[in-house]
Amino acid sequence: MYEIKENSRILKDGTELTTYARDVVSCNILEAEAGTTGYQGGDTGHGGRTYFRIEDAGSTDMEVHSYVNKYGCPGFEVVLGGDCELETVIRALKFITKVLEEESAEVYD
């Protein structure tokens, strides 16, 4: 099994989140981290925040680009090279999805 680390992040707007992180290890290593305040009943003004991060922790062929489209909307794209990168990013995204689903479900319990 893998170790899950509980962290605390303070976002730029001052919101404090509990996040969960783990290493995803193959021939390369990614660190995945995610957290959310869960559903807060509306838009940003109601306090809902979601955070996730994927970081190269060793030997990952990864490019990340942020951009603004012709309508002024921001986005980002990720390009990975190699079979292990495909494997580890799938596992990282599954972990991020699991954290966000579990943390947002607490609101309805």
Side-chain angles (χ1 to χ4, degrees), residues 22-26 28-32 87-89 91-92 95:
R22 68 159 285 202
D23 289 337
V24 182
V25 179
S26 187
N28 68 305
I29 304 170
L30 294 177
E31 182 176 73
E87 172 199 349
T88 55
V89 80
R91 291 173 31 212
F95 172 75

Side-chain angles (χ1 to χ4, degrees), residues 14-109:
T15 302
E16 187 171 352
L17 288 177
T18 298
T19 63
Y20 300 90
R22 68 159 285 202
D23 289 337
V24 182
V25 179
S26 187
C27 292
N28 68 305
I29 304 170
L30 294 177
E31 182 176 73
E33 181 177 10
T36 183
T37 59
Y39 295 106
Q40 300 293 316
D43 60 10
T44 299
H46 289 86
R49 301 290 185 277
T50 300
Y51 170 88
F52 70 91
R53 174 180 66 83
I54 297 175
E55 179 179 307
D56 173 19
S59 301
T60 304
D61 181 358
M62 177 171 63
E63 294 179 30
V64 180
H65 306 278
S66 62
Y67 63 87
V68 177
N69 72 12
K70 65 182 180 179
Y71 304 106
C73 300
F76 67 92
E77 60 188 11
V78 179
V79 180
L80 299 163
D83 293 350
C84 285
E85 284 78 356
L86 173 60
E87 172 199 349
T88 55
V89 80
I90 289 169
R91 291 173 31 212
L93 291 169
K94 284 181 178 182
F95 172 75
I96 289 168
T97 301
K98 182 177 180 185
V99 168
L100 297 179
E101 287 176 341
E102 288 181 5
E103 292 300 296
S104 62
E106 291 180 8
V107 174
Y108 296 111
D109 289 346

